[in-house]
Each structure stands twice: as C-alpha cells, then as structure tokens.
Amino acid sequence: MAEDKKRKIKPASWFWRWFLNNQVVTALLVVLLVLLIVFLFTKVSYLFEPIWQFLAIVGLPIILAGILYYLMNPVVDYLEKKKIPRLYSIIGLFILVVALIVWGSVVIIPKIQEQTVSFVSNFPQYVETIDDKLTEILRDPLFNQFREQLEKTGDQFMNSAGDILQNLSKTTVQSLGSFVGAVATIVVAVLTMPFILFYLLKDGKQLAPYLVKFLPTRMRVPTLKVLGEMNDQVSSYIRGQLTVAFAVAIMFMIGFAIIGLEYAVTLGIIAGFLNLIPYLGSFLAMIPAVFLAIVAGPVMLVKVLIVFALEQTIEGRLISPLVLGNQLSIHPVTILLVLLTSGKLFGVIGVILGIPVYAAAKVLISHIFEWYTTISSLYEEKHQ
C-alpha cells in the first residue's frame, strides 16, 4: 500500500511551485481582477446613472442626519441609562434643537445679516483705503527698485480680477438653473433630515446587526467588530471636530469684540465653520480679519495677530488635546494630503468629510491586511 501511494504522489512541477502555489502571483491576480472589474464598470457606467441620481438626492439628508446622530446619540444613551425612555429623550432633544434654531433665527441671524450687508456696502471703501496705504508704502525710497515690478503685478492682478468678474456676470444667468436646483436639494434635505435622524436615534443600534445577518455565519462577528471600530473612529472625530469648531467660534467672537474689530460675530462664526478643515481652517478664517485690521490701522493689525496667537495656543495646547486627543492616529502630512485630494475630487464636501472617510477606510484596510497576513506565508518571521 505504501508503495502504491508513493507511485501516485508526483513531485510538484515548476509551474505549480512558481505560479499556482505562489502567494505573490495570487495577490497580483487578485489586483488584476479588481482592476478588470473597475474597467468593466467604467464601460457600463450609464447603467448605474439612476443609482447615482438617487444617491445625489438622498446623500445630503443622510450626511446631515448622520452628523447630528453622532452629536445627539451620546446624550440619548446617557439619558437611557438614567431610566429615561429613549423615545422621550429623542423628543426632548428635538424640542431643544428647534428652540436653539428659533433663538438663532431671532438673535444671531439678524446680526449676521446686518454685519454682512454693512461689509458689502463698505467693501469698495475698504479696497480704496488699502490701495491708498499700499501706494503710500510704495512711495517710500526703499521700494524704488521694486516699484515698477510691483505696479506691473498690481495691474495684472486688477486685470485678472476684472476678467473674473466679467466671466461671473456672463455665467450668472446660465448657472441660475443650477442654483435653483441646489436650493431645491437643500430644502428637500432639510425637510427629510429630521425623519431620518429620528429613526437613526431610535433604531440605529439595530442597523449593523440587521445588515450582518445577510453575511455568512463565520463572517458576522469580524464584520461587526470592523463596523464598530469604524463607527467609533467617525463618531469621535465628528463630535470632537464640531466641539472644537464651536469653541473656536466663541473664542474669536470674544477676542474680536474685546479689541473692537468690526463684524466680530460674523468673523467668529466664519472661523468656526472653517475650523472644520483641519490645520488650514483657522488660517483661512484670519484672511478677512487681517483685511479689516489693515483698513483700521497698524494697531488693530497687531491686536488681531495677538488674538490669533492666543486662539491658536488655547486650541492647540488645551482644547484639541482634551477633546480630540490622539484617537485617529493620523499623521499631519497624511491629513494634508487627504484634504488636498478630497478637495480636488469632491470640493468643499470632500474637504469636510475627507478625514472621517479616510479614518473609516483605514480601519477597514487594516483589518483586511491583518486577515491577509494570517492566511499568507509572506509575512512569517523565521526564527533561528
């Protein structure tokens, strides 16, 4: 019997050893199949056009509901632990949010409108003031050798600005239909978002177990683990970033009000929104503040820079470490690359949502790589 088995067993051929039983070749074949599938999808992309249109309609209310869900769900969970029924907690939070919206509409929005109208009406005067100051600086003997080049650069800038304004005026009527469509999309999102948010708060915990039921039995527990980690990453980032943005808005409003800078409320709110863009938001928010400070004079410019330095110190040394910590474990260079890429591909939405999407994708890819290392012999360490 043993001799018969030996006769049946044949030595593996070079084709089997080098290709069929090679982990590297297997991985390359998988990559090739994935690329082939992507290529085929690009050829039949028109079949998925209704799906993209559907996602474009429901995407905005789902995103808004998801952001508010991550903000409100911890409060609902806390109240539920205190023996308050979940439904009553959700209704109470909805009433509180509506009250805050009404208060903002009565107090904050009119103030922002007033300051915005004032800024727009005074903008030509501000530009003229800055132009006079620049002309006065250029008359200084120190700038004689650079005067011609600076004047040429200024003329080019003004010509470019004129061309941009002319193009905008031509495309305003053409883009009116798109603007109306965008407004309609926002209105639909605002109307449908509360209903999505309500059911997310009420039944959100049952969503992942329900979806996992469609998977094979042995994949359910690992999938739940991955979804849980992705949820933790996204929720911690969104809650932390919105908390930091709110604190930044308050600090800038108080700081600008103390030094007497015009439009303190509007500038503070703009700074809070822009702070949703990591690393770059606060610097972008300083552009209009510095513009107004230059108009007001060098003393105001120094005050604005002091406010900016204090805000950055408090945010970087106290608020961000306390609220965000190191939960994402993403290098700053990686964050900047993600922001640039997502902003180029998806615009403002990509800049705001790029980091949480990257954090969730990082969790998924890490688990896939960990699974691959367990089934592959390519990463085994040889002990001598």
Side-chain angles (χ1 to χ4, degrees):
M1 294 293 292
E3 293 180 358
D4 293 338
K5 289 183 179 179
K6 289 182 180 179
R7 290 176 183 175
K8 291 180 180 179
I9 298 175
K10 296 181 180 180
S13 65
W14 64 270
F15 184 76
W16 170 266
R17 292 194 308 270
W18 292 0
F19 290 95
L20 299 180
N21 197 34
N22 191 303
Q23 298 288 348
V24 176
V25 174
T26 303
L28 292 176
L29 287 175
V30 171
V31 173
L32 179 62
L33 288 174
V34 171
L35 293 177
L36 181 61
I37 292 171
V38 172
F39 174 75
L40 292 176
F41 271 121
T42 59
K43 295 301 180 182
V44 294
S45 59
Y46 61 90
L47 296 176
F48 301 94
E49 190 65 28
I51 298 177
W52 301 130
Q53 292 179 358
F54 173 77
L55 292 177
I57 294 173
V58 303
L60 183 58
I62 290 177
I63 291 173
L64 294 177
I67 293 173
L68 291 177
Y69 167 78
Y70 284 123
L71 284 176
M72 299 170 66
N73 189 59
V75 180
V76 176
D77 290 341
Y78 174 79
L79 295 176
E80 190 177 20
K81 291 178 181 178
K82 296 297 181 180
K83 307 300 181 182
I84 299 177
R86 194 171 185 86
L87 181 60
Y88 295 160
S89 302
I90 297 171
I91 294 174
L93 278 178
F94 270 60
I95 294 173
L96 178 62
V97 170
V98 171
L100 289 174
I101 292 174
V102 172
W103 175 79
S105 301
V106 173
V107 178
I108 302 296
I109 293 180
K111 189 71 175 178
I112 296 174
Q113 182 181 3
E114 176 187 349
Q115 293 185 355
T116 303
V117 171
S118 176
F119 177 79
V120 171
S121 61
N122 293 326
F123 184 76
Q125 183 180 351
Y126 294 153
V127 173
E128 184 179 353
T129 302
I130 292 179
D131 183 61
D132 293 340
K133 291 184 178 181
L134 288 175
T135 303
E136 183 179 350
I137 292 173
L138 291 175
R139 288 175 181 172
D140 193 284
L142 294 174
F143 292 92
N144 283 336
Q145 54 182 338
F146 306 106
R147 183 177 301 168
E148 183 177 354
Q149 184 177 358
L150 290 173
E151 288 179 352
K152 186 180 296 184
T153 303
D155 293 338
Q156 292 176 354
F157 173 78
M158 294 302 295
N159 292 333
S160 300
D163 293 338
I164 292 173
L165 291 175
Q166 187 176 3
N167 292 331
L168 286 175
S169 63
K170 289 181 179 179
T171 57
T172 298
V173 177
Q174 298 175 358
S175 61
L176 184 60
S178 300
F179 175 75
V180 172
V183 171
T185 303
I186 293 174
V187 171
V188 171
V190 171
L191 293 177
T192 57
M193 180 268 295
F195 299 97
I196 300 174
L197 176 61
F198 176 82
Y199 286 107
L200 278 178
L201 290 171
K202 183 175 178 291
D203 304 319
K205 292 182 178 180
Q206 304 172 11
L207 181 60
Y210 174 76
L211 295 176
V212 166
K213 288 181 180 179
F214 297 96
L215 298 176
T217 306
R218 64 177 182 176
M219 294 180 61
R220 293 177 184 177
V221 174
T223 304
L224 277 176
K225 181 182 177 182
V226 173
L227 291 176
E229 292 184 14
M230 293 171 64
N231 179 70
D232 292 340
Q233 289 281 307
V234 174
S235 62
S236 61
Y237 175 81
I238 290 178
R239 285 198 296 265
Q241 200 67 28
L242 289 175
T243 303
V244 172
F246 179 77
V248 167
I250 297 298
M251 285 191 292
F252 271 122
M253 280 192 285
I254 294 174
F256 290 154
I258 290 174
I259 65 176
L261 184 68
E262 289 185 291
Y263 318 117
V265 175
T266 303
L267 291 175
I269 292 175
I270 291 174
F273 276 110
L274 290 176
N275 200 75
L276 295 174
I277 306 173
Y279 297 106
L280 302 177
S282 296
F283 292 97
L284 293 175
M286 284 303 297
I287 294 176
V290 170
F291 177 83
L292 292 172
I294 293 174
V295 174
V299 176
M300 181 59 70
L301 179 60
V302 173
K303 291 180 180 180
V304 167
L305 295 178
I306 291 174
V307 170
F308 178 68
L310 290 175
E311 183 276 331
Q312 286 292 294
T313 302
I314 296 173
E315 179 191 351
R317 299 293 179 86
L318 180 62
I319 298 176
S320 291
L322 185 64
V323 175
L324 289 175
N326 296 318
Q327 296 167 343
L328 293 182
S329 301
I330 303 176
H331 196 276
V333 175
T334 304
I335 291 178
L336 291 176
L337 292 176
V338 171
L339 290 175
L340 292 174
T341 305
S342 58
K344 179 68 175 178
L345 294 175
F346 305 106
V348 178
I349 299 296
V351 171
I352 295 175
L353 300 180
I355 302 302
V357 171
Y358 171 81
K362 180 183 176 183
V363 172
L364 179 61
I365 294 173
S366 299
H367 279 274
I368 293 175
F369 180 75
E370 183 180 351
W371 167 78
Y372 180 71
T373 56
T374 58
I375 66 168
S376 171
S377 60
L378 298 176
Y379 299 90
E380 293 180 355
E381 296 183 1
K382 295 181 179 180
H383 300 284
Q384 296 181 352

